[in-house]
Amino acid sequence: MEAIRIQNLTKIYKDTVAVDSLELTIHTGELFALLGINGAGKTTTIKMLACLSKPTAGDAYVMGKSVSKESQLVKSMIGISPQETAVAPNLTVLENLELMCGVYAYDQVDRKERIAELTRQFHLEPILTKRAGKLSGGWQRRLSIAMALVGQPQILFLDEPTLGLDVIARSELWDTIRALKGNVTIILTTHYMEEAENLSDRIGIMKNGKLIVQGTAEELKRAAGKEIFEEAFVALVKGEIV
Amino acid sequence: MRVIPFAKRTLKEILRDPLTLFFGLGFPCVLILLLSAIQVNIPVELFAIELLAPGMTVFGLAFMTLFSASLIAKDRESALFLRLYATPMRAVDFILGYTLPMLPIALAQSVFCFVLGAFLGMQVTVNMLGGLLCLLPVSLFFIGMGLLFGSILNQKQVGGICGALLTNLTAWLSGIWFDLDLVGGTFKKVAEVLPFYHGVKLVQAVIAGQFNGIGIHLAWVLGYVVVSITIAVVLFLRQMRKQ
């Protein structure tokens, strides 16, 4: 089943084409990674899919709902963990989760259940009463993803979730993301090739706002004639193959 | 109902900032104490506690603009806003969530100043409740200005415009520190078309039980409330679209 169908999606800022006639389908339960160098259009694509930016042309359908015309419905089905850590720094971890429960209009009973569930899932017990702004980068990212899941989204956008994290924190976050696979459709943007290769079901590579190639990590390596995924990415982006 | 959790968050963010407690509650009280001490040694009619306490209360409310604008500007620059924009929260949830929590803070500040005024000799009458009621539109004006400046300025600019300029304008053009007649001319005319002077005169008159003539002061303040909140809402919606 289709979770996201993108048709001719285009975003133009003044004289810059950030996303150019994007066509893509992402299936339910899939983890799809969007790769590309800086300015390739990954974050702009995510912003349009999350109804944070209106497309200049084309449209995208999230669980069959148009991001242009039914944004309120789309917003009730998605969760986003933005590139920078998106937590309220002066609130405790528990208060951050409560804020999101309130935003999704949970009643008192459901709120408690949801917070307990996420606390277990993300191992947040030891930090529940700590202020979010005082946490390490790894914990903040984990909280950020937990907050994105409060509304029980069908689609989760993870924009550079492990950017700036140390090796251990990144590995722990990968485990967290792996545990989510299958339950929710995940669209991940990253600059880390090993992250895309390890976590994704399929990978799309963007360049100058266009999706130049898509497939599994193995398919992309074969297409590029390389054994190492990073080398395949470089070859594909440099246009040595396509 | 999404307003309530967001408003709670606004309240916590503001009250957990120690500068809020100092400037919001402490600073006006310190000024009342200081000027009352001067008044003991060199009596000045303007610093009589019946005039000083309501005047300083209005001055203290100018900090509501700073607190509100600082939080909104900080939020606009943060990824948390992006996250919240991608939820079913609507513009009205954001606007009310930012403005409503400021009212209890403003009320608490006003009560603190009045209690201190009473402690320093201001007569405790039922008119004090009327004074608090009249501080409501004054508070709304400053809160509206917070939404307005928070929607268009960055954090650094908010510090300059709201923290320095607006508080000084409130102090100079309200007639709290010196009698506007002493300067007269254009200065007085400018003061009379701005809301600060009318806010102070309104509250002072109500506390003194002199209700004749308060209508004009109330009208000026209410006019500014409507204008500031209308412009603030328009600018907030515009920045939401731009974001």
Side-chain angles (χ1 to χ4, degrees):
Chain A
M1 191 189 160
E2 286 176 357
I4 296 177
R5 182 159 44 90
I6 300 172
Q7 289 180 328
N8 190 37
L9 195 68
T10 303
K11 183 73 185 183
I12 301 171
Y13 294 110
K14 290 184 181 163
D15 52 356
T16 306
V17 182
V19 176
D20 190 0
S21 311
L22 190 66
E23 297 276 346
L24 177 66
T25 299
I26 297 166
H27 307 290
T28 306
E30 192 176 26
L31 195 156
F32 189 92
L34 264 183
L35 302 185
I37 54 169
N38 286 338
K42 308 182 297 288
T43 298
T44 307
T45 302
I46 296 270
K47 281 187 174 176
M48 286 191 282
L49 295 177
C51 306
L52 293 168
S53 178
K54 276 202 182 295
T56 310
D59 205 347
Y61 299 88
V62 174
M63 305 309 286
K65 306 294 175 197
S66 158
V67 297
S68 306
K69 300 180 191 81
E70 298 164 290
S71 61
Q72 216 47 33
L73 281 173
V74 172
K75 283 178 177 182
S76 66
M77 293 187 287
I78 62 167
I80 183 168
S81 180
Q83 208 172 83
E84 294 157 55
T85 306
V87 298
N90 283 332
L91 265 55
T92 65
V93 169
L94 179 63
E95 288 168 342
N96 268 283
L97 293 170
E98 283 175 342
L99 167 67
M100 294 309 291
C101 284
V103 163
Y104 285 99
Y106 280 94
D107 63 30
Q108 200 66 25
V109 177
D110 290 343
R111 178 177 305 194
K112 276 191 177 167
E113 271 179 23
R114 189 70 188 129
I115 290 175
E117 205 175 321
L118 288 165
T119 303
R120 268 196 309 276
Q121 192 177 355
F122 287 84
H123 310 292
L124 299 174
E125 295 91 346
I127 55 155
L128 267 184
T129 55
K130 291 196 174 148
R131 291 213 185 160
K134 305 278 183 198
L135 300 174
S136 68
W139 277 114
Q140 287 196 11
R141 290 295 166 86
R142 207 183 281 191
L143 171 62
S144 185
I145 296 175
M147 287 168 73
L149 288 168
V150 164
Q152 295 179 299
Q154 297 175 64
I155 315 281
L156 176 64
F157 297 103
L158 299 177
D159 196 5
E160 312 256 7
T162 61
L163 187 71
L165 296 187
D166 61 45
V167 177
I168 301 297
R170 183 179 301 164
S171 160
E172 286 174 355
L173 208 54
W174 282 8
D175 290 340
T176 304
I177 295 169
R178 276 195 198 99
L180 294 171
K181 276 181 74 171
N183 303 321
V184 56
T185 306
I186 302 173
I187 292 87
L188 168 91
T189 73
T190 182
H191 275 115
Y192 301 114
M193 297 301 127
E194 74 276 22
E195 185 164 293
E197 190 178 11
N198 275 310
L199 296 176
S200 314
D201 297 310
R202 282 193 306 142
I203 297 165
I205 298 177
M206 291 186 77
K207 182 185 176 184
N208 298 331
K210 284 182 182 292
L211 186 71
I212 55 171
V213 64
Q214 59 171 306
T216 63
E218 288 305 317
E219 284 169 351
L220 297 187
K221 281 195 279 191
R222 263 200 307 277
K226 306 282 182 187
E227 288 195 359
I228 297 169
F229 183 70
E230 186 164 336
E231 288 176 5
F233 171 80
V234 172
L236 290 164
V237 169
K238 281 188 171 174
E240 292 166 9
I241 309 299
V242 180
Chain B
M1 290 303 281
R2 292 185 172 96
V3 174
I4 295 168
F6 190 65
K8 275 187 188 169
R9 177 258 166 181
T10 301
L11 194 63
K12 284 174 187 165
E13 289 274 3
I14 289 175
L15 291 181
R16 285 177 187 174
D17 184 348
L19 283 178
T20 307
L21 294 178
F22 175 71
F23 282 107
L25 300 176
F27 192 50
C29 292
V30 168
L31 288 174
I32 291 173
L33 285 169
L34 186 69
L35 294 173
S36 294
I38 293 172
Q39 169 74 2
V40 171
N41 295 318
I42 312 162
V44 181
E45 192 192 339
L46 201 62
F47 294 161
I49 194 65
E50 292 76 18
L51 300 178
L52 183 64
M56 280 304 158
T57 308
V58 171
F59 171 68
L61 290 174
F63 289 101
M64 295 300 123
T65 302
L66 177 64
F67 304 150
S68 177
S70 296
L71 181 65
I72 297 167
K74 190 170 82 179
D75 279 353
R76 278 176 45 228
E77 292 166 22
S78 83
L80 180 68
F81 229 39
L82 210 63
R83 177 199 291 290
L84 293 174
Y85 277 171
T87 69
M89 276 185 76
R90 292 169 186 272
V92 67
D93 299 321
F94 283 100
I95 290 168
L96 293 177
Y98 277 124
T99 50
L100 292 182
M102 301 307 296
L103 284 171
I105 299 175
L107 180 66
Q109 187 194 52
S110 305
V111 169
F112 263 96
C113 290
F114 278 17
V115 168
L116 182 62
F119 187 70
L120 293 171
M122 189 165 78
Q123 217 177 352
V124 179
T125 66
V126 73
N127 291 336
M128 272 187 169
L129 292 176
L132 287 175
L133 201 63
C134 289
L135 282 164
L136 184 69
V138 180
S139 305
L140 282 173
F141 163 71
F142 283 115
I143 293 166
M145 294 298 279
L147 186 64
L148 191 158
F149 286 125
S151 301
I152 54 171
L153 303 178
N154 61 35
Q155 279 190 79
K156 200 176 162 191
Q157 290 167 329
V158 163
I161 300 286
C162 304
L165 187 64
L166 186 75
T167 48
N168 275 298
L169 281 178
T170 310
W172 298 343
L173 296 168
S174 59
I176 310 166
W177 300 88
F178 50 86
D179 193 336
L180 294 177
D181 288 326
L182 292 175
V183 186
T186 309
F187 187 87
K188 191 180 177 210
K189 281 180 189 153
V190 170
E192 284 175 348
V193 295
L194 290 172
F196 317 114
Y197 167 77
H198 295 287
V200 171
K201 285 289 168 202
L202 172 68
V203 183
Q204 285 175 339
V206 169
I207 285 192
Q210 295 163 356
F211 300 104
N212 286 340
I214 64 164
I216 184 74
H217 298 308
L218 187 61
W220 273 100
V221 173
L222 286 175
Y224 270 95
V225 169
V226 172
V227 170
S228 69
I229 288 183
T230 306
I231 296 172
V233 168
V234 169
L235 291 176
F236 188 83
L237 294 176
R238 195 189 69 154
Q239 72 77 29
M240 261 188 101
R241 277 193 298 273
K242 274 173 73 178
Q243 201 93 357

